[in-house]
Amino acid sequence: MFARLAAALLLCVSLTACKQDDNNNSAGQAIFVGVGDVRVIDARIVPSSDSSAQTSAGTLNYLIAHVELTNDSRADFTPQIDHFYYIDSNGDRFQAKDSGSSVFIGVSNSQMVLKLNEKRVYTIGFRTTDPSTTGTISYDL
């Protein structure tokens, strides 16, 4: 129980940290790259208390990313979190989530229409068993 509380507290503290200057490249920006309409603002690996059959009773990690999505499509649309994808260096593809685990406590993303040429920041996560993963994040309409 204490481990879950500590993990939740760590996530909350990391999500409320001061916004970095856009000209200052963080480690998350160097390891995780946005593709197309997605710009990675910050990203980090967060351990969770979730377990998986693939990890033989080990724990899963989440890649938690703050990304900026720009609507340069041909029309207004409402972005869906499950349309964000992470492709790791092995070519494995992971679909984004923003709920379903204690690592997402305090995460709330907008469900409003994103008008043409507008930008919006989202907090998304990808389950991974690799604590040193690298790759790209994209959005598929």
Side-chain angles (χ1 to χ4, degrees), residues 17 23 26 34 45 50 57 65 67 70 74-75 82 85-86 90 101 111 124 126 141:
N23 294 327
S26 69
I45 300 295
D50 301 345
V67 297
T70 302
R74 298 175 190 229
D82 61 358
Y85 288 93
Y86 171 64
N90 295 327
S101 174
Q111 298 296 316
I124 55 177
F126 305 91
L141 286 174

Side-chain angles (χ1 to χ4, degrees), residues 54-121:
Q54 295 123 345
T55 60
S56 300
T59 59
L60 288 171
N61 297 304
Y62 279 83
L63 163 59
I64 304 294
H66 295 252
V67 297
E68 180 182 76
L69 177 64
T70 302
N71 180 2
D72 63 0
S73 66
R74 298 175 190 229
D76 299 348
F77 71 96
T78 303
Q80 301 297 312
I81 297 304
D82 61 358
H83 287 219
F84 284 97
Y85 288 93
Y86 171 64
I87 300 175
D88 68 10
S89 57
N90 295 327
D92 297 322
R93 183 175 163 139
F94 302 91
Q95 190 173 32
K97 301 174 182 292
D98 67 351
S99 63
S101 174
S102 60
V103 299
F104 295 116
I105 292 174
V107 173
S108 177
N109 287 308
S110 173
Q111 298 296 316
M112 296 179 62
V113 172
L114 186 62
K115 297 192 181 287
L116 190 61
N117 297 320
E118 281 187 348
K119 299 177 181 184
R120 187 173 299 142
V121 174

